[in-house]
Amino acid sequence: MSQQKKILFLSLYSLPPAWLFHHQLDATVATALRMRGCDVLITGCDGLFESCYILRGTGEIKQQICELCSQTSKGYFCDSFHLPYKQLRDFVLDNDYNLANEWLATVDPVNYAEAVYDNLAIGQWVTSSVYTYFRITSTGLSSPDVRKVHRQYLIDGLVTYKAVSRLIYYYQPTHLFLLGARLAPSRIAFEVARQHNIDTIVQEKGYINNSYLLLDNHGCMQTKPARDVIEAWENIPLNNSELLQVKKYWLERETGQNFSSFYNYQTEYASVRRQLNIPEDAKIFAVFTSSEDELAAAQDYLGISQQLDIIDRLIEVFADKDEYLVIRHHPNIAGREYLPAQIDFIVRAYQQSLSAPKNVRIVMPSEQLTSYALLWHTDAAIAFFSTMSIEAVAKGIPTAIISSSLYSFALRYVIDKFDIASLRILVDSLFSESAKTTVEDLRRLYRFTNAYFFKFSNEFRSFNSEGLSFESNNELKPGIDPTLDKVCNRVLYGSSLYNLPGSEEKQRSLTEENEFLEKYILEIRDFRQKVKQQGLTNPKNNISHPSVGVVQLTYNNEQENQFLSQGLKRSRYQAINEYKCNYLDLEDHKQTIESILALLETIPEDYILLAHSNIQYHESLILSAMQILLADGQQVIQGVSFGGWLPINQNRMLKGKFLPQGIFIPYNQCLSYEEAVTTLPWLKYPPSLLAFTIMRKTALVKNLDMLRHIPTREQAAELLFMLLHTPGIHTIENSMMFIREIPQSLQKLLQKEKLISLQEYLNLKDINLIIFPDWSASEEFLLEQFAEILRTIFNHPDAEKITLLIDIDDISEDEASLILSSVTMNLLMEDDLDLTDKASISLLKELSELDWEVLVPNISARIAWEKENQQRIHALVKSANIPIYKVENLVDLAVV
């Protein structure tokens, strides 16, 4: 070595156990490099970032989780490995935040994604993290909740850039190790390293268990490293052990092994067509979508956000076909534990299903039907970016992929034109005889899989997902762990990080590969025929279908929607009769219940769903519920309840309990009635609770008869909530419905009730003024401005009829109260004011969307001053017709 190598490790996320998987690599490699004569430095985080990816959704325990993350990092590197350690915060200056705030004051929130500071594309570098934080794409950036976090990411982004630049100046590293180079802090560090021509090695989780990706001067969203490895191996025949390894890999994925499975259930192959209500002899064309948020900002994955547009066109293509189109939306779109659902995608997918023809089936993300079971019934497929593309080919299915996807290396068919005519040609081609899977198709697939999943991924002997595998540092010396040696040699000597074929591999013959693939293609054909035969002979596919009565409830003065009826037309359960119960009174629960009971006496069905026109039920709901009810010969189960997505216009940042998938289920055992109605106030009205349940009519009549004797509507709703929590109600923990909007009549009643509570909570009076301070302004400025406003209001002739509402969105209530108390005390002392019967002050924080909707019409004026929180004004009141007054004009305000 001509000079000592200095390696900087940026290890910011440390929440155990998931992030320790990455710390193992940093700590072990750093120790091994130190043993080989290098200088190393670990840099961690001690709560530097206001909006942090791993803290999303942690709520009240955010601070504790942040401290655990920081302590884990320092303890791991310092105490366990005795490595030099610095905090990134050590390189932040006090003025960095002022600089960032001043910069953002000049940036329109509409342009946050493209925000540039001094030729630095900060907006581009952080927006991918915003997508992941909220599970959105660019269409969701306009939401007020999103813009608030987006702004903070930009602030943290500029501060991170300044801090990392100082860190590099201080340490002068020759190499940088970091994770991913996608999430904002590591992406920014990656860009700083590029500016300084610092050699960078990026690590990420590998594509098989216990493995890591190692990327040479590329981020994890850049496909060139993988392409280089794939191209290096594409002409190398596989030997028998490699072929068996790939075959085993496909089998393991189907059973949920060797990757992060999105399923905790299995689907019986023979039941797939029954579950989808597709004839056994009909051909199936399957479309598999991908979760969009992580890839949406990546240049190498252009087209990911066009999936639903392409599906719209495919639905049109199949409108005049006999074959069935099945769209299986990726389960990750529904979210998982601590991972929110992609609501924007789900909203549009439900909208799409309303106009789909009868030969289209849409499997929503949370529906319990595995893609693997569906594949064995599929005749042709499209998988835009998903691994389902290569898994489909592995099962002998002609499949197409978006041309920009890495999986295009493995497939014969790619999609590079998205117009209807081109898609029609593609569909016909995939159904054609010439598209049938050949040995050459499988050769291409097997070689790709070997290169991408096994050669591109790296396994270390020194550590894996179970933890460290060495007891002393002596086991990290050269010659013991080949992968560790490879990484160290890359730093020391500039050798390749990648597993590339040698001269021996290049001399292989095709014999083993040909024999294996010819046998394999026969195996999959035989198995597909076996699955088809099982479907034809499965006795469960001949279950009788008694009729279900769906009763649409309509309240007085309520405009009827078509969501319910249109959704029922697509139901996979065909024996449905619709009824209407009109002119119901929301405020008179007894009259409503008696009207429902009178109707139930006249209809013959033994199974009932009480619904509303504003609800869209998923096409699989009634079939799924009836399979459960009809299988219960003893009639112990009186009803089947299910979850749903909240209304489109409902604030996503709601409090309340949800299942890990983000699905709201009123009858989940851990949810109390108070929590349920807080999350969805509609549930305060008894019939609304029944929209989440299909019941036997005898049980429904019994419950309703009991409710009509309860004195108040609220008591009746709470009792019904308790009755539906009984063991006789089977709960499907899936989203089976989508509340498209709250009925207008109900909204008015909720607003009326909400106004009463707000009047008490905020002490609203005849004149209600509102102000949106920029709390990042200097304390001196805030004290001066508040003194002027309060002095004017306290001296107003109608002061006793005024309430001043002060937004404290970006400051704690204690801090705001301290400033206001100081101002008030000074006014008492300096102006000798008597505050008896004077104006009231109320602080506004964490109001819901409904709260603001009700509050805004009761605001008399907004007070404008020099430094305001324009983001909050734009999000909450800019579109409302609220008069704006300067402080000196407040005297003109009078009670109307």
Side-chain angles (χ1 to χ4, degrees), residues 667-687:
Y667 312 129
N668 178 257
Q669 294 301 315
C670 67
L671 192 69
S672 69
Y673 174 72
E674 291 76 16
E675 290 167 328
V677 297
T678 298
T679 304
L680 186 60
W682 188 27
L683 301 182
K684 293 191 291 186
Y685 306 94

Side-chain angles (χ1 to χ4, degrees), residues 689-825:
L689 284 159
L690 292 165
F692 289 82
T693 309
I694 291 180
M695 295 189 72
R696 299 185 194 274
K697 185 164 68 173
T698 52
L700 177 61
V701 169
K702 180 180 178 181
N703 287 331
L704 290 175
D705 188 58
M706 188 184 310
L707 293 179
R708 66 175 168 174
H709 299 293
I710 304 300
T712 69
R713 182 190 69 219
E714 292 79 6
Q715 290 172 333
E718 187 166 6
L719 175 60
L720 180 58
F721 186 86
M722 293 170 60
L723 292 172
L724 295 174
H725 265 83
T726 61
I729 303 297
H730 179 94
T731 299
I732 300 176
E733 294 189 346
N734 285 356
S735 173
M736 292 291 193
M737 61 185 281
F738 185 66
I739 305 170
R740 301 202 68 93
E741 60 184 35
I742 299 295
Q744 286 294 321
S745 53
L746 181 59
Q747 288 186 48
K748 291 177 181 178
L749 188 55
L750 288 171
Q751 288 170 354
K752 177 181 174 182
E753 295 177 349
K754 177 58 71 175
L755 180 57
I756 293 171
S757 66
L758 283 177
Q759 284 172 334
E760 181 179 350
Y761 172 58
L762 297 175
N763 194 19
L764 298 181
K765 297 183 180 179
D766 295 328
I767 301 175
N768 301 302
L769 309 176
I770 192 167
I771 188 167
F772 293 90
D774 178 0
W775 293 98
S776 66
S778 68
E779 184 175 349
E780 180 182 359
F781 172 83
L782 292 171
L783 292 171
E784 180 183 332
Q785 291 294 306
F786 274 121
E788 183 181 2
I789 289 174
L790 295 183
R791 182 182 292 110
T792 302
I793 290 175
F794 290 153
N795 286 311
H796 193 281
D798 290 324
E800 74 280 3
K801 299 176 182 178
I802 295 176
T803 291
L804 176 63
L805 305 171
I806 302 175
D807 180 68
I808 57 168
D809 176 67
D810 50 0
I811 190 174
S812 72
E813 187 170 347
D814 288 342
E815 289 177 290
S817 297
L818 187 62
I819 291 173
L820 291 168
S821 297
S822 177
V823 173
T824 305
M825 184 62 67

Side-chain angles (χ1 to χ4, degrees), residues 322-425:
D322 295 328
E323 297 90 354
Y324 280 74
L325 174 64
V326 179
I327 298 151
R328 204 307 174 212
H329 288 305
H330 197 290
N332 195 39
I333 294 167
R336 289 184 288 169
E337 189 173 12
Y338 304 119
L339 186 68
Q342 290 182 242
I343 296 296
D344 290 343
F345 189 104
I346 290 166
V347 168
R348 189 171 169 199
Y350 265 94
Q351 183 68 45
Q352 202 168 55
S353 70
L354 287 175
S355 57
K358 292 182 179 180
N359 63 332
V360 175
R361 300 287 182 268
I362 298 179
V363 182
M364 293 300 289
S366 54
E367 185 177 345
Q368 292 195 356
L369 189 157
T370 69
S371 299
Y372 301 105
L374 173 60
L375 280 177
W376 289 112
H377 295 265
T378 297
D379 298 282
I382 286 175
F384 299 113
F385 286 89
S386 167
T387 55
M388 295 311 298
S389 59
I390 49 180
E391 296 189 68
V393 176
K395 292 172 175 54
I397 303 166
T399 305
I401 187 81
I402 295 272
S403 57
S404 59
S405 169
L406 270 174
Y407 302 131
S408 62
F409 278 85
L411 273 64
R412 194 198 320 175
Y413 294 93
V414 298
I415 312 171
D416 49 19
K417 294 180 181 178
F418 303 146
D419 60 280
I420 290 177
S422 298
L423 291 172
R424 192 181 300 278
I425 293 171

Side-chain angles (χ1 to χ4, degrees), residues 2 4 33 36 93 98 109 177 202 226 319 323 349 359 455 543 603 641 658 663 673 765 767 795 875:
S2 58
Q4 185 184 37
L33 286 170
R36 290 160 172 79
L93 301 181
N98 293 333
F177 270 75
V202 173
E323 297 90 354
N359 63 332
K455 297 297 190 291
I543 297 176
I603 63 179
S641 69
F658 295 79
I663 300 166
Y673 174 72
K765 297 183 180 179
I767 301 175
N795 286 311

Side-chain angles (χ1 to χ4, degrees), residues 588-619:
D588 187 347
H589 76 284
K590 293 183 180 181
Q591 177 266 323
T592 295
I593 290 172
E594 287 171 359
S595 297
I596 295 171
L597 285 171
L599 176 64
L600 291 178
E601 288 181 1
T602 67
I603 63 179
E605 284 77 17
D606 292 327
Y607 303 91
I608 304 294
L609 172 61
L610 294 182
H612 300 80
S613 67
N614 55 297
I615 292 177
Q616 181 185 350
Y617 291 99
H618 185 249
E619 60 190 56

Side-chain angles (χ1 to χ4, degrees), residues 11-26:
S11 302
L12 301 178
Y13 298 137
S14 306
L15 196 64
W19 297 98
L20 290 183
F21 178 78
H22 299 288
H23 277 3
Q24 289 179 151
L25 186 147
D26 288 341

